[in-house]
Amino acid sequence: PYELCAATRNVLTPIHDPFLEARRYLAFKTLALAMMGRHVKATYFNDLLALPNDSALVNRTGELRNIKRTRSERDVLETLLADPARPAYWIARHLNNLIALVDVDPAFGPRGEEARPQIDPESHSIACVLGRCGPERTLVVVNTGQETRSLTISRSETGLADGPLPVDNLTGKHLDWPADRDRLSLHLDPYDRLWIKTAPVTVPANRLVAVGTDEEMQNALGARKSEP
């Protein structure tokens, strides 16, 4: 989006459901960070809150790339981050924890291999990215579509062979995947995202914030008109 001179949220087709809009934004950000693989992970400050295009700044300065260089006042940011009825409240918290996870996951470390993206031929809305560094493996699975989809993954093909029950490091939930079974079918709701490893990644507690559940996010956002 930077090269297109557009904020990330503005290159996505509008959804008139702030809950789904927030989930979609997080899904694409998860996919983007996984695709960066072993390279330095980066995101614009404005994208941490999913701020929209700053057309006023572009018109005032004549610099197209200022479209996502909004200079927000601290009290404005604090208001956004303190209001659960705004998507920015949930997006910022989830991105904080996602970035903390990506930063310490050794499978996406600087000495690792290039990330290996794959698209499920049976459902083009499902994207998978495999991160590898030595014995470390992480499989990131993202449903980029607005419909529930299914996907079958393989221990032998992904390298997730060790450990009895792989875990989704975004939720901390273990997958019901016994070690003696090679394949597992996953059912992904719209914009679901999984960060699968054979063991939990230890993220320092002081880098994490409480994010709440999807149900809490949906109830808080309700049918509010989409805004930052």
Side-chain angles (χ1 to χ4, degrees):
Y2 174 79
E3 299 301 335
L4 298 175
C5 296
T8 300
R9 67 174 292 180
N10 287 101
V11 300
L12 301 172
T13 303
I15 299 177
H16 301 294
D17 181 329
F19 171 67
L20 284 179
E21 185 177 46
R23 280 179 58 85
R24 180 182 64 176
Y25 189 88
L26 291 168
F28 277 90
K29 277 298 183 181
T30 300
L31 183 59
L33 287 170
M35 287 285 291
M36 294 176 194
R38 65 185 180 88
H39 301 283
V40 175
K41 318 301 186 294
T43 188
Y44 260 72
F45 177 83
N46 286 357
D47 280 350
L48 295 176
L49 290 85
L51 297 182
N53 287 338
D54 193 338
S55 300
L57 182 61
V58 172
N59 293 335
R60 188 166 67 250
T61 63
E63 172 55 60
L64 294 180
R65 291 190 175 183
N66 280 345
I67 198 76
K68 55 190 306 183
R69 292 173 177 169
T70 300
R71 296 183 180 181
S72 300
E73 297 294 333
R74 178 169 179 169
D75 60 338
V76 174
L77 297 179
E78 288 178 343
T79 298
L80 291 175
L81 294 173
D83 185 0
R86 295 177 181 270
Y89 171 94
W90 301 93
I91 288 171
R93 280 160 174 71
H94 279 281
L95 283 184
N96 176 88
N97 291 2
L98 173 63
I99 291 169
L101 170 62
V102 175
D103 193 44
V104 298
D105 186 345
F108 288 96
R111 297 183 182 276
E113 302 177 23
E114 295 289 346
R116 295 170 52 188
Q118 296 178 326
I119 300 295
D120 179 15
E122 301 299 323
S123 176
H124 291 172
S125 68
I126 300 291
C128 301
V129 179
L130 182 63
R132 304 191 301 178
C133 183
E136 293 285 343
R137 300 287 188 276
T138 294
L139 179 67
V140 178
V141 182
V142 177
N143 182 0
T144 65
Q146 205 168 334
E147 296 181 6
T148 299
R149 298 292 186 184
S150 297
L151 170 73
T152 299
I153 56 177
S154 163
R155 281 182 182 270
S156 57
E157 293 174 6
T158 59
L160 298 170
D162 300 324
L165 290 175
V167 61
D168 170 25
N169 278 269
L170 294 174
T171 62
K173 296 180 180 178
H174 287 274
L175 304 182
D176 185 15
W177 194 2
D180 60 354
R181 193 170 74 201
D182 181 63
R183 295 186 175 273
L184 174 70
S185 293
L186 298 173
H187 299 283
L188 293 97
D189 289 332
Y191 310 118
D192 262 356
R193 53 203 181 102
L194 303 173
W195 198 276
I196 305 171
K197 292 184 71 71
T198 55
V201 176
T202 301
V203 181
N206 62 357
R207 297 186 59 183
L208 299 174
V209 296
V211 296
T213 65
D214 276 355
E215 183 178 6
E216 290 171 333
M217 177 167 65
Q218 187 171 23
N219 289 338
L221 294 177
R224 183 188 182 100
K225 183 180 179 180
S226 296
E227 57 183 285

